[in-house]
Amino acid sequence: MERFKVTGQELRNFYQTDTVLSRVFDDIENELRDTNQVVCRFIVNGMEIKENDEARFGTVSLNDVETLEYMTENSNDLVLDVLQAWIAALPELQEKTESLSKRMRTQGFSGLLKPIHDLVQNCEYLIDSVMSLKIIMGDRYLVTSPVDWVKTEQDSKTTVVEALRALENKDFVLLADVLEYDLNNVLQMWTEHLQHLEKALNGDTSGTYQSEQNRSDFMGRKRIAN
């Protein structure tokens, strides 16, 4: 992780005086994207800005900025962390899916409401998480995946909706079928996707990172110690 600092005066020299911080945030993020870097956090006048506060602070005029700091990390490293966590978790999700479907067929719905609800929630979280990866990575790896990414997304959403509907209607037979066949198939497709992406990233990370000496000097920013 790297940390950079620029003064308010340097910002005002670089931009027009009526510029707001959201423009600066966007410019920094766009520049870093070219070097596979992402902003982990912004710090304005010594105050750390949380992600859900960025929009509010984005309206702040550069006249009110004394210092702007931001911390960056290599996006490939972040993506790999998420990929490896899901690759490790997916076999357990598949095992739970098979176990719950078998238990429903033999004992009905009794005592299974919470584990089924938790399983569906985990699958929703998986979908949201991989959608975030798609935004970060763009299409440069997805087009070479052995499984159709768009179809997997659509099948995932359809399966979750069907599972929730069956759960709401207490249709145990349908829910068991959705878990055993549809959901298990979706989880297997995501396993193949993520394993492919992990291999692609591991083969691509060397040489994608540029040192600070080789990067463009954005408005005279200075690298500072963490």
Side-chain angles (χ1 to χ4, degrees):
M1 186 176 292
E2 294 183 284
R3 184 166 177 167
F4 300 91
K5 182 175 183 178
V6 62
T7 67
Q9 187 58 55
E10 288 169 329
L11 289 171
R12 290 186 287 275
N13 290 339
F14 193 87
Y15 292 98
Q16 295 182 358
T17 54
D18 58 349
T19 302
V20 293
L21 268 177
S22 60
R23 164 73 186 283
V24 181
F25 290 165
D26 288 344
D27 284 351
I28 291 172
E29 289 171 342
N30 288 334
E31 185 209 23
L32 289 171
R33 192 173 293 117
D34 293 336
T35 57
N36 287 329
Q37 299 288 303
V38 292
V39 175
C40 301
R41 68 183 67 111
F42 287 107
I43 303 169
V44 179
N45 296 343
M47 181 185 303
E48 183 176 324
I49 308 303
K50 296 183 179 178
E51 187 174 354
N52 55 1
D53 290 328
E54 278 189 26
R56 179 165 59 88
F57 276 87
T59 62
V60 172
S61 167
L62 294 188
N63 288 323
D64 298 320
V65 176
E66 296 178 6
T67 59
L68 171 64
E69 301 170 52
Y70 53 98
M71 302 181 72
T72 71
E73 192 162 348
N74 188 285
S75 60
N76 283 352
D77 292 341
L78 295 176
V79 169
L80 274 172
D81 287 344
V82 175
L83 285 177
Q84 289 165 353
W86 274 117
I87 289 170
L90 277 166
E92 184 179 349
L93 275 179
Q94 289 178 285
E95 186 178 323
K96 285 183 178 179
T97 300
E98 293 176 3
S99 174
L100 285 172
S101 63
K102 289 177 182 177
R103 288 172 63 186
M104 269 191 293
R105 295 187 193 284
T106 57
Q107 69 184 58
F109 200 62
S110 178
L112 299 182
L113 177 60
K114 187 178 186 309
I116 291 173
H117 188 267
D118 289 346
L119 174 64
V120 174
Q121 273 196 326
N122 283 334
C123 291
E124 288 182 302
Y125 180 59
L126 167 64
I127 295 170
D128 290 342
S129 182
V130 294
M131 288 293 287
S132 298
L133 293 182
K134 182 180 178 181
I135 293 172
I136 293 174
M137 297 179 66
D139 295 328
R140 66 187 190 275
Y141 298 116
L142 308 186
V143 293
T144 62
S145 179
V147 184
D148 187 328
W149 184 282
V150 174
K151 184 179 186 303
T152 306
E153 284 181 12
Q154 294 171 341
D155 288 352
S156 299
K157 293 173 184 177
T158 300
T159 299
V160 168
V161 170
E162 289 179 349
L164 289 172
R165 186 179 296 122
L167 186 60
E168 182 180 350
N169 296 333
K170 297 184 179 179
D171 189 337
F172 311 132
V173 175
L174 176 59
L175 184 56
D177 285 344
V178 170
L179 294 184
E180 183 176 2
Y181 301 110
D182 299 333
L183 187 55
N184 228 352
N185 183 54
V186 162
L187 293 176
Q188 181 57 39
M189 286 193 291
W190 281 126
T191 298
E192 293 178 28
H193 268 313
L194 301 187
Q195 287 174 340
H196 167 78
L197 291 178
E198 182 189 29
K199 289 178 181 177
L201 277 174
N202 276 326
D204 187 68
T205 50
S206 61
T208 57
Y209 174 80
Q210 291 181 314
S211 67
E212 176 57 22
Q213 286 79 9
N214 293 330
R215 292 190 208 153
S216 59
D217 186 29
F218 182 71
M219 67 184 104
R221 67 183 179 184
K222 298 178 178 63
R223 185 178 187 276
I224 62 176
N226 293 334

